[in-house]
Amino acid sequence: QVQLVESGGGLVQPGGSLRLPCAASGFTVDYYLIGWFRQAPGKEREGVSCVTSSVSSRGGSPRYADSVKGRFTISRDNAKNTVYLQMNSLKPEDTAVYYCAADLVGYGSNWTRPETYDYWGQGTQVTVSS
């Protein structure tokens, strides 16, 4: 069975850091596009980061939304079959439910679009507030 489980969310003050793991089962994260999205109340689901398949032309390259570039880092631990989102210098506008997602079909051309992805985790709440 294919499963993605995010964790690591919580309440953090502005300027703080969190690391969100996305633990995958039923497939190997190294071989697929893995994205991180977030959704705040009343807002569209927003792609914040992704890491491409190691067998793709991008060779496991990370990409970031402009809003998080320089603050967030995506990484992949193939031994643990887990993708991480390291979030530093958090801002109140980062408050959202964060989801990881996997594209197992492999036809996606735009990593920022939720419809690119076939499997989703349950989400983890990140709240940045003083």
Side-chain angles (χ1 to χ4, degrees):
Q1 70 285 359
V2 172
Q3 189 174 26
L4 296 166
V5 179
E6 311 97 330
S7 59
L11 176 64
V12 63
Q13 293 189 353
S17 297
L18 286 173
R19 188 184 70 171
L20 307 181
C22 172
S25 59
F27 71 100
T28 301
V29 298
D30 191 40
Y31 300 151
Y32 297 95
L33 171 70
I34 309 296
W36 279 98
F37 287 75
R38 65 187 181 187
Q39 189 164 23
K43 299 184 71 175
E44 297 293 319
R45 190 164 296 191
E46 174 192 21
V48 299
S49 186
C50 78
V51 60
T52 59
S53 167
S54 65
V55 300
S56 74
S57 62
R58 295 185 181 272
S61 299
R63 301 191 72 178
Y64 302 95
D66 289 341
S67 59
V68 307
K69 196 171 298 180
R71 300 187 298 119
F72 290 13
T73 303
I74 192 168
S75 62
R76 186 173 55 205
D77 186 335
N78 292 327
K80 296 181 179 179
N81 205 35
T82 297
V83 176
Y84 297 89
L85 185 67
Q86 177 67 47
M87 306 187 295
N88 298 325
S89 301
L90 283 162
K91 305 174 180 179
E93 51 263 45
D94 296 318
T95 296
V97 177
Y98 282 72
Y99 301 88
C100 64
D103 174 17
L104 270 64
V105 173
Y107 295 148
S109 61
N110 188 340
W111 72 268
T112 69
R113 301 298 301 172
E115 57 264 34
T116 294
Y117 302 87
D118 310 299
Y119 292 91
W120 293 82
Q122 81 288 348
T124 186
Q125 176 71 49
V126 172
T127 302
V128 184
S129 177
S130 60

